[in-house]
Amino acid sequence: MTLIRHELSLGKQTLFIWTAVIAGLMALCIFIYPDMEQQMQDIGDMFSNMGGFSAAFGMNQLNFGEFMGYFCVECGNILGLGGAFFAALSGISSLSKEEREHTAEFLLTHPISRRRVVAQKYGAMLLQIALFHAAVLAVTFLSVQSIDASPDWSMLALLFLAYFMLQIEIASICFCISACCSVGPGAGLGIAALFYFFNIIANLTESMAGLKYITPFGYAEGADILADRSLHLPYLAVGVLITISSILLALYRYHQKDIS
Amino acid sequence: MYAIQTFSLTKYYGSSKGIEDLRLTVEQGDFFGFIGPNGAGKSTTIRTLLGLISPTSGTARIFGKDIVTQKQEILSDIGYMPSESAFYQNQRVKDILTFSAALRKKDCTAQTALLCERFSLDPNRKIRELSLGNRKKVSIVCALQHMPSLYILDEPTNGLDPLMQQEFYAVLEERNRQGATIFLSSHVLSEVQKRCTHAAVIREGSLLISDRMDALGHASAKQVTVRGVDALPASDQIRNVQKTGDTLRFLYSGSPKDLLQTLSALPLTDLSIAEPNLEEIFMHYYAKENP
């Protein structure tokens, strides 16, 4: 637990800034919904009929005149992409920053096994993502209450669960990369962006639909979740498999690694 | 039981050699100097002993425990000071010291306060505000506060002012008197000669010699100074010749009888034969390998 507390202490500023920015943007989008509601009903058809562009963002399946349709596109992108960036940054810097900043030598010459370092750092990263998510969820709940919207709460919870799983998967992949090589935070952001674009490409082209199995944005596609009223289990199963594999590979690789 | 014992310890970084077939023993309670120039393999040896890097072949034991399979037990009783001290920039000195003690599951409060006072270290300062010397002091307190049985110190005085160096060695000598083993790597030969009872010389990853400090000087060579001579006869036993004015200074590794015979044929005006200092011993071993 010592290392978890230490990691939380080191990461508290980053966590606070990312949570404030994403929760703030979410609240802003929700607060402007009453003003946008009428306009959205008018332009909803236009948004839904822009061919490939609408398909790319799943807008062809959504009703913009309803709160959930609006939430999926506006807030979904903020939490989906913003949360993915935060998760990627948390994961990519977790282990590699120790080597980049030459603190690994200090840490690993204490009586703590490499496996315990990996486990506690991963635990700290999960806690940070959970705290981020809980804070954004709380702000979203209060914001929705304050505008008197009547969302489908079960769907809202499912969307948040999907984004939480997405963040864990991206963080785990980046954590694994961080255990294997010393890379900067830019690599994490790049990976998150790559997965986001994989989903767009999969939405645009039928022949590339298989990318949905690779990208966690596949099972966190708000339009699909609202339409199916559930997460697409095959995509989620692959995501869980990738997450577990990433953790195991990180454990194996970091245990073997020479610390330069 | 030996504090440190290596058995053909070898580390290659890809095809490049770090250390090879290193057989080193350090007795418990010893004050041991590990000397060699930059890149000789001192840090590779230390990092292998501490488990930061895995040996390519061979093994080592610390207090009889295997460095690979019993690493955690070993590390709990070691105080390590790296040559370059790096800590978490946004934390305060006290956070680092508390974190280090917590990782060791030890309450070091009294020792930490005592050491901070002895080394004039302000625990409330932020790490990023510290000079190289002050960061070194943090490293010293981290290595000493839990009262380990073995101190592994890599270039420990680099960046410390002379007063702090004196205080640092005073603490080490106290700990050594209490039974702790000190293993320090250095290329500052005078500090090794002054403080250590045993020393080993490493070159290009291989151990050249390891012996008692006095035996090292006695067994290696004599430092000879002659005046009134321009040149010396060619001999394999004469090395590291330095000429200043009419004075020649060299290391002689043969028998005293042969030396006197050689010198008797020269027009000397003055002669001095002495034990060499560690720097000369060091040069002797290096010159021997690079004639």
Side-chain angles (χ1 to χ4, degrees), chain A residues 98 105 110 114 258-260, chain B residues 11 47 52 80 88 100:
Chain A
E98 300 278 358
E105 192 171 15
H110 283 83
R114 299 259 184 117
D258 279 352
I259 302 297
S260 52
Chain B
K11 176 66 188 176
R47 296 172 79 80
L52 289 169
Y80 170 58
Y88 306 98
S100 177

Side-chain angles (χ1 to χ4, degrees), chain B residues 110-157:
Chain B
Q111 270 301 316
T112 309
L114 189 74
L115 289 164
C116 283
E117 198 185 320
R118 282 186 81 163
F119 289 101
S120 311
L121 179 63
D122 179 358
N124 293 311
R125 295 275 302 275
K126 282 229 173 186
I127 294 291
R128 65 163 175 259
E129 296 166 356
L130 298 181
S131 63
L132 170 67
N134 277 320
R135 280 208 309 276
K136 203 83 186 180
K137 289 181 193 175
V138 180
S139 196
I140 290 174
V141 180
C142 278
L144 300 175
Q145 65 177 353
H146 59 290
M147 303 288 284
S149 304
L150 172 63
Y151 296 84
I152 295 184
L153 315 163
D154 194 0
E155 307 286 356
T157 51

Side-chain angles (χ1 to χ4, degrees), chain B residues 161-178:
Chain B
D161 66 56
L163 281 176
M164 283 301 128
Q165 287 188 24
Q166 206 171 7
E167 189 61 31
F168 173 64
Y169 278 113
V171 178
L172 285 186
E173 278 161 5
E174 283 166 25
R175 299 283 171 96
N176 186 232
R177 278 195 297 275
Q178 289 161 12

Side-chain angles (χ1 to χ4, degrees), chain B residues 258-277:
Chain B
D258 289 345
L259 174 65
L260 291 174
Q261 206 166 16
T262 308
L263 294 177
S264 65
L266 299 172
L268 306 177
T269 58
D270 199 4
L271 166 68
S272 148
I273 302 173
E275 293 292 339
N277 62 29

Side-chain angles (χ1 to χ4, degrees), chain A residues 2-3 6 9-10 98 101-114 256-260, chain B residues 11 47 50-54 71-72 75-76 80 82 84 86-88 91 96 99-100 102-104 142:
Chain A
T2 304
L3 191 52
H6 171 74
S9 161
L10 289 182
E98 300 278 358
E101 295 169 12
H102 307 289
T103 49
E105 192 171 15
F106 168 74
L107 178 64
L108 297 175
T109 49
H110 283 83
I112 180 167
S113 72
R114 299 259 184 117
Q256 309 254 318
K257 195 177 188 182
D258 279 352
I259 302 297
S260 52
Chain B
K11 176 66 188 176
R47 296 172 79 80
L50 294 167
L52 289 169
I53 53 179
S54 311
K71 190 165 80 175
Q72 268 55 68
L75 289 176
S76 65
Y80 170 58
E84 286 169 29
F87 301 102
Y88 306 98
Q91 291 206 306
I96 298 290
F99 178 52
S100 177
L103 284 173
R104 296 184 182 283
C142 278

